[in-house]
Amino acid sequence: MFIGHYAPALLLATDRRSPRLGPLFVAAQLVDLAFFTFVLLGIEHMRMVPGITTMNAMDLYDMRFTHSLVGTAAFALIFAGVWRGRGGTWMAATIGGVVVASHWLLDLIVHSPDLTIFGSGYRYGLGLWNLPQVEMPLELAITAIALTWFYSETQAKGVAGRVSFWVLAGVMLLFQAINWLTPQPATIIDPVPASQPLLALFAYAVMTALAWWTGATRERNAGPVALDV
Ligand SMILES: [Zn+2]
């Protein structure tokens, strides 16, 4: 799951009580932002094993802090706490926390068993990365539905608001296409070079910046924008 993670952010950002789209894009990938940062720091680990799943070679064998259910819940609480601490409403903080937590459930659908509850022990994952004929239409569908919802429930504030949405949607689809079309490595790569997590963090940063712009240039339909931006 890559751009599909942004579906909950796009669906909930149209609610006037919610944080705007930019912060919700951070929430949607918060545990992946932490994971790739932890890989760079040597706190969590991954390697590339060709063929480990049909769609990609990521062997995510150590994600104990970020992708355990308890760890993800902690990140959700941290996001909500920071939001509330910055003066946001309880409702906005809760919505942000829900978007953070949605990441684990969406990963559960596609990952091969590498997700835990407590950081070790039994590993969960329904493995749709082994069924591209199901995973790819599913991820495209939930992203398209969420983008359509966001577009219909917001209005452009001038030209920028029209441009920003389409740039965001186009870049999301482009990054997903690159992700899918990049061939798997020929041999095991262990450990992964720093370029791997840095590239992922770069992609998330670009999409979040575009989402921030989109959220700032489009008005939510149901009246004046809430103040808890
Ligand atoms: Zn993840």
Side-chain angles (χ1 to χ4, degrees):
M1 193 65 62
F2 182 40
I3 62 169
H5 278 299
Y6 293 122
L10 288 157
L11 293 173
L12 289 168
T14 60
D15 191 306
R16 287 172 52 218
R17 298 164 298 176
S18 170
R20 299 275 201 118
L21 192 60
L24 288 187
F25 260 49
V26 175
Q29 294 286 19
L30 186 60
V31 296
D32 270 12
L33 294 171
F35 171 66
F36 288 115
T37 304
F38 285 4
V39 169
L40 281 173
L41 297 174
I43 297 168
E44 293 188 327
H45 302 88
M46 65 177 285
R47 60 193 161 217
M48 303 303 275
V49 176
I52 193 165
T53 76
T54 307
M55 291 181 65
N56 65 65
M58 291 190 293
D59 182 7
L60 305 164
Y61 66 95
D62 176 21
M63 308 192 291
R64 70 188 91 169
F65 300 114
T66 56
H67 286 70
S68 59
L69 186 57
V70 170
T72 299
F75 278 98
L77 288 175
I78 290 168
F79 186 94
V82 169
W83 197 266
R84 179 70 186 145
R86 286 178 65 252
T89 64
W90 279 112
M91 177 60 84
T94 303
I95 291 172
V98 166
V99 172
V100 174
S102 73
H103 185 102
W104 195 91
L105 291 173
L106 289 170
D107 270 356
L108 180 67
I109 300 169
V110 299
H111 281 220
S112 48
D114 53 29
L115 301 161
T116 60
I117 303 295
F118 298 108
S120 60
Y122 193 83
R123 288 168 180 255
Y124 299 85
L126 300 176
L128 275 195
W129 274 340
N130 289 314
L131 291 172
Q133 66 274 34
V134 178
E135 202 284 337
M136 293 166 82
L138 178 70
E139 185 155 9
L140 286 178
I142 64 171
T143 306
I145 289 167
L147 281 168
T148 305
W149 167 265
F150 181 84
Y151 187 77
S152 65
E153 293 294 312
T154 57
Q155 322 173 23
K157 292 193 274 185
V159 178
R162 278 190 289 279
V163 174
S164 61
F165 174 83
W166 291 108
V167 172
L168 172 65
V171 168
M172 286 172 69
L173 290 174
L174 175 69
F175 283 2
Q176 183 67 75
I178 293 170
N179 177 267
W180 280 340
L181 296 175
T182 302
Q184 296 201 15
T187 55
I188 292 174
I189 303 173
D190 185 17
V192 291
S195 58
Q196 198 94 30
L198 285 173
L199 191 63
L201 291 171
F202 172 75
Y204 292 149
V206 169
M207 289 189 284
T208 300
L210 291 173
W212 218 287
W213 180 38
T214 304
T217 52
R218 294 187 68 86
E219 198 94 49
R220 298 182 255 215
N221 276 349
V225 174
L227 294 175
D228 50 338
V229 175

